[in-house]
Amino acid sequence: MTSRWVFGLVFLVCAGLLGVAFYMEHVMGLEPCPLCWLQRFGFMGAGLVSLFALLQGPTGVGVRIYGALLAVTAGVGLGIAGRQLWLQSLPADQVPACGPSVDYMLEVLPFFDVLATALKGTGDCAEVVWRFLGLSIPGWTAVFFIGLVLVGLVLLFRRPTPPASIAG
């Protein structure tokens, strides 16, 4: 499998996960918390890196650079998912207070204040509103981010294959 195919597959996975997120929001009525929004940006970042790599079709060092960028964007997303999982594991008396919605914060606060508040997480982030096979939404995003980090690291550290020779 060429790196171009790998990046194409990663792009499709990220697009599919974002589609699921928007389905959960707009069809199932699950309101995303600030950390959920940041995890979406993690998938958007990984998807954009993969889309650019797919379109460019890099070889050699280019594959390694895109692999590193994929691992970094997915790693940031994994850290955010881990933060939310930690908040969800807290006892009820230690959960932070609920905060305003991201839309409201963006209307009234400077961007970096919204980002700082979102990274801290709120009581909304600690609430488990959906589970599948025992994992909450940030649990599943962590699983996918781990997979993306691993793909990025494989692309970063694998040995390049020599071009096929034409036997004649």
Side-chain angles (χ1 to χ4, degrees), residues 3-12 14 43-59 62-63 65-67 69-70 73 155:
S3 60
R4 196 171 204 164
W5 278 97
V6 172
F7 285 120
L9 183 60
V10 168
F11 171 74
L12 290 176
C14 290
F43 285 123
M44 286 178 202
L48 284 174
V49 165
S50 299
L51 178 62
F52 292 148
L54 172 66
L55 295 175
Q56 183 183 10
T59 58
V63 172
I65 291 170
Y66 279 116
L69 290 172
L70 175 61
T73 56
L155 291 167

Side-chain angles (χ1 to χ4, degrees), residues 80-158:
I80 294 166
R83 170 80 175 153
Q84 187 168 3
L85 287 169
W86 177 76
L87 286 171
Q88 288 181 347
S89 73
L90 291 175
D93 63 329
Q94 294 180 10
V95 171
C98 291
S101 71
V102 174
D103 294 334
Y104 176 77
M105 287 192 294
L106 285 171
E107 287 178 17
V108 299
L109 295 174
F111 175 75
F112 288 107
D113 289 349
V114 174
L115 186 60
T117 301
L119 285 171
K120 289 178 190 171
T122 65
D124 300 332
C125 299
E127 185 180 352
V128 177
V129 295
W130 181 89
R131 284 190 187 275
F132 180 68
L133 299 177
L135 289 178
S136 63
I137 295 170
W140 281 108
T141 62
V143 167
F144 280 100
F145 280 128
I146 289 169
L148 294 174
V149 167
L150 291 175
V151 168
L153 291 175
V154 166
L155 291 167
L156 175 62
F157 292 113
R158 79 174 179 177

